[in-house]
Amino acid sequence: MDIGNILLSHGLLSDSQLETATLQAGGQRVDRAAISLGYLTEEDSLKAIGSELGMRYVDLKQVDVESEFLSEFPTREIFRHCVLPIERENGHVLVATSDPFDLEALDELSSSAGCRIEPVLARHADLLELIKSKLGVGGDTIGELVAQRSAEDVELLEGIEEDDSELAQMAQQASVIKLVNDLLIDALEQHASDVHLEPTETGFLIRCRVDGMLRVQPVPPEINQFQAAIISRLKIMARLNIAEKRLPQDGRIKLRIRGREIDVRVSIIPMMYGEGVVLRLLDKQAMTFDLGHVGFPDDLYRIFRDMITLPHGIILVTGPTGSGKTTTLYCGLNEIKATTTKIITVEDPVEYHLAGINQIQVHSKIGLTFAAGLRSILRHDPDVILIGEIRDGETANSAIQASLTGHLVFSTLHTNDAASAFTRLVDMGVEPYLVASTVEGVLAQRLIRRLCPLCKVAYTPAEDEIPQDLIAEVPEQIYKPGGCRECRDTGYAGRTGIFELLRSDVGVRQLCVERASADQIRHYAMQNGFVTMRHNGWDKVLQGTTSVEEVNRITKADPV
């Protein structure tokens, strides 16, 4: 069968496109080459080929497969061949496949299950997702040890220590190694920032944090018997003590997953029903530290750009854990780095390595704290200093002194808004006049989910849907989440920042010297053109970037 002619006859390819796809195909089929070139979609291709072969196309998003029905079929063949029985019809079993020409897979499944099969066609990504949701990530590994996936899928970049204990041997079984690798690969494919492995009274719960929201990862119930082995395997990878189950442990794993270098921070804490593990995934290749892509409004970008080019002073970025503070500071450093400027950072931990910038890792156990590191940095002739976080009065006062001696200091602080940063430093023991004379500005930020551009729904909101503190007038059209296969039916895809930037002026400095409250500083700033985070979020609602629900979830109402 000439696949190219089928696609031509259905009007899916032109002659020139077919020629290009044929040249690009190499060892693969011409339809797959054309899909990779963007000439047509997999769905259109399958429908055309299916019409010639007499095979139906099925949208698996509309299909609900019964788990009891699926249990009648061998898990090994389903995972190995990426085929999925979906229902019985007229004495046959409908089996979804993305490859209409892989007859061997269908024959093998038919023989193993002892039933007659009728193939139907479905998108490969939909097929994979449904298999994982019904059988769980690594379901084939738990069921039985199958042919190993390519060893290069997950590669440890640091050696592990030899251990002949029974626990270590159990954790080093090929099936356990593959199961842990499957979990890591799937988390990376979801663009998860964290993976939570939580022991509960009834079993082992796995959740992934995607775009700031935790979602349960479907896994087969049999995973409970592998709980100890999975945790031991992670301990071995992070070079931790696998015999210690009573104390918290922290470690780090360096991996290469399908050619991408991934840094994994491992935190293990003993809990009521076993050890809980959180893995923070840092995908180095996915990060681009460009100030223009942070999500600043144009006017705020110009002000912040002016601030980071000042000769001296302190610039603070505030917000809760995971709000993107460090990323914003890295973007600022990347913006101003030059061969004529010496930039030194002291961080805990150093999350990303930046070319052209000198980075120091904090080691509290040996006395290398933020404050101690900062004192040493000042003898190293820097122009710009980044302190990962101001946690105490000693670090705060050291940062003030660095600023007074002619350095530009960047740092982060845990406060809920920009105005609170001034009072927090005073609470840490810094003299108010020193805070007033050194802090040039405070940027507060949060990360807010973006609406999926493929499925967001335009609508006219009712007046009571818009919070009272946001209404100037009800807009004619804003957007809300829809749900599609690309965003996994969440309605959101990726995140962007919302910000408020409080730049010090004569009034702010005077209020700081007078030990004014954060509310007083905020009130003064709002009277002089200060735009709050909540109103920045509302601007993004009007632009169609996010939804009212997200703004309400992330921010609280501004005082009227």
Side-chain angles (χ1 to χ4, degrees):
M1 175 176 290
D2 192 329
I3 298 172
N5 284 335
I6 293 175
L7 300 179
L8 272 178
S9 65
H10 282 77
L12 296 176
L13 290 182
S14 65
D15 289 327
S16 61
Q17 287 175 330
L18 177 58
E19 186 177 347
T20 304
T22 304
L23 291 172
Q24 292 286 328
Q28 66 177 330
R29 294 204 318 258
V30 69
D31 58 322
R32 291 179 173 171
I35 292 167
S36 65
L37 288 167
Y39 292 158
L40 75 163
T41 65
E42 183 185 7
E43 182 176 339
D44 289 339
S45 172
L46 289 173
K47 285 179 178 177
I49 295 172
S51 69
E52 298 292 328
L53 295 175
M55 292 184 185
R56 282 184 284 162
Y57 174 83
V58 174
D59 183 356
L60 292 184
K61 291 292 182 182
Q62 311 299 323
V63 172
D64 184 24
V65 182
E66 297 290 338
S67 299
E68 188 176 341
F69 165 70
L70 205 53
S71 65
E72 301 174 16
F73 299 89
T75 307
R76 173 177 176 170
E77 272 72 27
I78 291 173
F79 272 90
R80 188 168 66 177
H81 297 300
C82 195
V83 294
L84 184 68
I86 55 177
E87 63 176 332
R88 293 191 191 278
E89 186 180 273
N90 301 326
H92 294 75
V93 173
L94 297 186
V95 176
T97 177
S98 61
D99 187 350
F101 302 104
D102 189 3
L103 301 179
E104 181 184 347
L106 300 171
D107 289 343
E108 191 170 330
L109 183 65
S110 175
S111 175
S112 300
C115 62
R116 296 169 65 191
I117 278 175
E118 179 182 333
V120 293
L121 301 180
R123 290 175 72 248
H124 183 69
D126 291 348
L127 197 51
L128 277 178
E129 187 175 336
L130 191 55
I131 289 173
K132 286 178 181 176
S133 69
K134 290 298 177 183
L135 298 176
V137 176
D140 54 337
T141 309
I142 291 169
E144 54 187 310
L145 180 59
V146 297
Q148 290 292 310
R149 198 179 294 187
S150 168
E152 286 73 35
D153 268 2
V154 177
E155 176 189 354
L156 274 170
L157 298 181
E158 294 179 334
I160 58 177
E161 296 177 0
E162 294 293 328
D163 190 334
D164 295 329
S165 68
E166 183 180 346
L167 199 60
Q169 289 177 359
M170 181 175 66
Q172 295 295 77
Q173 292 177 6
S175 54
V176 175
I177 292 173
K178 183 174 184 295
L179 178 56
V180 172
N181 289 352
D182 284 346
L183 290 171
L184 291 170
I185 290 170
D186 195 68
L188 192 65
E189 288 176 348
Q190 292 185 56
H191 305 291
S193 60
D194 302 85
V195 181
H196 296 239
L197 294 87
E198 303 167 346
T200 67
E201 186 176 9
T202 56
F204 199 41
L205 178 66
I206 298 179
R207 298 192 287 174
C208 292
R209 189 177 295 279
V210 181
D211 292 339
M213 302 291 284
L214 281 171
R215 59 170 73 152
V216 175
Q217 185 69 22
V219 290
E222 293 84 1
I223 200 170
N224 295 334
Q225 59 191 284
F226 289 83
Q227 178 177 334
I230 290 169
I231 293 173
S232 296
R233 170 61 183 168
L234 290 169
K235 285 182 177 179
I236 289 170
M237 293 169 74
R239 305 170 72 87
L240 300 176
N241 182 358
I242 65 169
E244 181 56 78
K245 298 177 182 290
R246 301 166 300 169
L247 295 173
Q249 297 189 72
D250 293 309
R252 179 175 176 176
I253 306 170
K254 286 188 174 182
L255 299 171
R256 185 179 289 113
I257 298 180
R258 293 180 175 171
R260 294 159 63 181
E261 281 198 26
I262 308 295
D263 220 356
V264 182
R265 303 295 161 89
V266 183
S267 174
I268 301 178
I269 298 179
M271 296 188 179
M272 184 68 72
Y273 300 105
E275 292 177 285
V277 183
V278 174
L279 309 175
R280 167 150 287 192
L281 308 178
L282 302 173
D283 186 352
K284 298 179 179 180
Q285 290 173 247
M287 293 301 296
T288 53
F289 298 110
D290 183 351
L291 200 59
H293 290 89
V294 170
F296 286 138
D298 291 341
D299 54 345
L300 192 147
Y301 172 81
R302 286 191 294 271
I303 297 171
F304 190 73
R305 183 70 178 78
D306 289 342
M307 281 170 46
I308 64 176
T309 55
L310 292 171
H312 55 79
I314 297 178
I315 296 166
L316 297 173
V317 179
T318 77
T321 302
S323 59
K325 301 185 299 294
T326 304
T327 300
T328 298
L329 287 177
Y330 279 176
C331 291
L333 292 181
N334 249 354
E335 188 87 359
I336 62 173
K337 74 176 181 183
T339 54
T340 55
T341 304
K342 174 94 169 189
I343 301 174
I344 305 180
T345 76
V346 52
E347 305 168 62
D348 182 22
V350 175
E351 292 191 354
Y352 296 98
H353 300 285
L354 302 177
I357 293 173
N358 304 277
Q359 295 170 277
I360 299 170
Q361 170 73 54
V362 164
H363 288 289
S364 300
K365 291 180 181 177
I366 60 173
L368 181 53
T369 60
F370 280 118
L374 187 51
R375 286 195 296 272
S376 301
I377 284 174
L378 292 176
R379 296 192 289 271
H380 220 71
D381 188 30
D383 298 297
V384 178
I385 298 167
L386 182 144
I387 307 166
E389 183 185 341
I390 295 178
R391 295 176 179 172
D392 51 46
E394 185 182 7
T395 307
N397 278 297
S398 298
I400 295 288
Q401 293 304 316
S403 169
L404 291 172
T405 52
H407 301 90
L408 182 61
V409 180
F410 293 83
S411 191
T412 69
L413 202 61
H414 285 289
T415 63
N416 289 325
D417 56 33
S420 300
F422 293 90
T423 55
R424 178 63 57 83
L425 290 174
V426 173
D427 291 342
M428 285 181 176
V430 181
E431 290 293 335
Y433 73 90
L434 289 175
V435 176
S437 61
T438 55
V439 175
E440 294 293 340
V442 182
L443 177 75
Q445 70 177 66
R446 299 285 190 281
L447 291 177
I448 196 166
R449 291 187 293 172
R450 290 176 176 271
L451 287 168
C452 174
L454 300 177
C455 65
K456 63 182 181 180
V457 180
Y459 75 108
T460 301
E463 188 168 333
D464 60 358
E465 288 183 61
I466 311 297
Q468 292 299 309
D469 63 309
L470 294 178
I471 286 184
E473 58 181 79
V474 177
E476 290 184 8
Q477 177 178 289
I478 58 176
Y479 292 86
K480 61 183 178 182
C484 66
R485 59 164 62 101
E486 297 301 325
C487 63
R488 296 187 177 227
D489 292 316
T490 62
Y492 297 94
R495 290 188 290 176
T496 187
I498 56 172
F499 308 90
E500 61 183 34
L501 178 58
L502 178 54
R503 189 164 191 179
S504 299
D505 60 14
V506 174
V508 171
R509 296 184 198 280
Q510 184 60 38
L511 286 169
C512 187
V513 170
E514 295 171 359
R515 294 179 180 264
S517 68
D519 285 340
Q520 290 173 300
I521 295 173
R522 183 182 183 86
H523 182 68
Y524 164 81
M526 290 178 71
Q527 288 182 322
N528 289 270
F530 173 69
V531 178
T532 65
M533 250 187 306
R534 188 165 172 84
H535 273 84
N536 181 220
W538 177 241
D539 288 340
K540 284 184 163 57
V541 171
L542 296 178
Q543 294 162 12
T545 303
T546 191
S547 65
V548 175
E549 292 78 13
E550 269 297 283
V551 174
N552 282 331
R553 183 179 70 86
I554 295 295
T555 65
K556 65 178 184 179
D558 292 325
V560 179

